[in-house]
Amino acid sequence: MNCHDLNSKLADLLLEPEAGNSEEQAKVYNDAQAHLASCADCRKQLDELRATMAMLDAWEAPEPNPYFMTRLNARLADERQAAPAGWLERMRARFTYSSRLTLRPVAAMAMTAVLLIGGGTYLEVSHTETPVAPPETAVVHDLQTLDNNAQLLDQLESLSDQSDDSGGASSQDM
């Protein structure tokens, strides 16, 4: 028997030192005694356990205070006569001291819903694409500039009218 095996049998040796109801128990007891005879550490551990058990046997519980029940009953009567706590105080006490677990799943579901809604909103806001204007060509830019400058457009129209009058006569001659 080694020290590890003996540690599991120390309580049996301490409480039933001569347990010999069967041959197997007698063999274990004899092996434990042989190991204790050869191992000083295990012997010391068994002696410490015996000393602890002797101290526990000698210990006596102190007598309760004779006025304990009187004071307890008076305090309970004061609590019964006290004004009930407000709604907020009762809820705080329920969350703080309650052993019922009915509100924890509800709180976990609410937190999950808040996280999902918040995360979805964040993703929607962060990934929205703004429409991109098509690239502007030179012709479009020139036309927009001409539209913005009405006076220049009027001058060009008057030049165009003059060229049509002179150009129309020359094209008929040919």
Side-chain angles (χ1 to χ4, degrees), residues 99-158:
S99 63
R100 294 187 305 178
L101 302 176
T102 56
L103 295 178
R104 288 184 184 172
V106 173
M109 287 177 20
M111 184 60 92
T112 303
V114 166
L115 287 174
L116 287 175
I117 291 170
T121 303
Y122 172 74
L123 289 176
E124 183 64 32
V125 168
S126 66
H127 293 309
T128 56
E129 295 180 14
T130 57
V132 178
E136 225 175 63
T137 61
V139 175
V140 172
H141 181 64
D142 290 344
L143 287 175
Q144 287 176 344
T145 305
L146 287 176
D147 284 339
N148 290 339
N149 197 346
Q151 182 182 7
L152 180 62
L153 186 58
D154 290 339
Q155 289 175 357
L156 286 175
E157 283 181 9
S158 66

Side-chain angles (χ1 to χ4, degrees), residues 49-63:
L49 279 174
R50 284 183 181 149
T52 303
M53 292 301 285
M55 286 178 66
L56 286 174
D57 288 340
W59 181 74
E60 292 181 16
E63 290 293 322

Side-chain angles (χ1 to χ4, degrees), residues 8 17 19 31 48 105 125 148 171:
S8 64
D31 289 344
E48 288 174 355
V125 168
N148 290 339
S171 64

Side-chain angles (χ1 to χ4, degrees), residues 3 24 30 33 35 48 58-59 67 77 79 81 94 99-100 102 115 121 126 153 162 166 173:
C3 294
E24 184 178 324
N30 291 336
Q33 290 299 332
H35 180 77
E48 288 174 355
W59 181 74
Y67 300 109
E79 287 295 322
Q81 293 173 358
R94 176 173 284 165
S99 63
R100 294 187 305 178
T102 56
L115 287 174
T121 303
S126 66
L153 186 58
Q162 290 174 1
S166 65
D173 293 335

